Amino acid sequence: MRRYLFSTGLFSAILSGLALLRSMREKEPFTWRTALAWLSWGISVTLAVGAAVDTRRARRGREVAEDSPIAPKAEKLYKKRLDSARAS
């Protein structure tokens, strides 16, 4: 579980969210640029979580969507899991 919570994509999305929160404390007005920044942050978090879920599915031998960035590596991850299971 730790592997997925501390993935680089999710970590960077959380840090950018913290930067957005700090900017909200400075009592600046909420503009359309701020709204777009929050929308972008939401999309980044969603993509990072999706990549972590796809990686977990591939490692467990489950099907991964073809449009996932993990799809080309899914077979390799599955074989790695089988090899580690055999070694145990």
Side-chain angles (χ1 to χ4, degrees):
M1 186 71 176
R2 184 175 43 213
R3 177 182 301 155
Y4 307 107
L5 288 177
F6 295 113
S7 66
T8 56
L10 193 57
F11 189 69
S12 67
I14 290 170
L15 288 179
S16 66
L18 291 175
L20 281 172
L21 282 174
R22 271 189 245 135
S23 72
M24 296 294 292
R25 280 196 235 158
E26 296 175 4
K27 300 193 182 190
E28 293 182 20
F30 190 83
T31 63
W32 63 273
R33 289 182 183 98
T34 308
L36 285 178
W38 279 106
L39 179 67
S40 173
W41 176 79
I43 291 170
S44 296
V45 169
T46 303
L47 289 173
V49 168
V53 168
D54 284 347
T55 303
R56 185 169 189 231
R57 284 181 165 206
R59 286 190 183 273
R60 292 182 175 235
R62 295 186 181 153
E63 188 175 338
V64 177
E66 291 180 17
D67 64 343
S68 171
I70 306 298
K73 300 175 188 174
E75 186 68 29
K76 182 179 176 182
L77 291 172
Y78 181 66
K79 286 181 182 178
K80 188 176 181 180
R81 177 178 163 82
L82 283 178
D83 291 343
S84 66
R86 289 179 189 157
S88 301

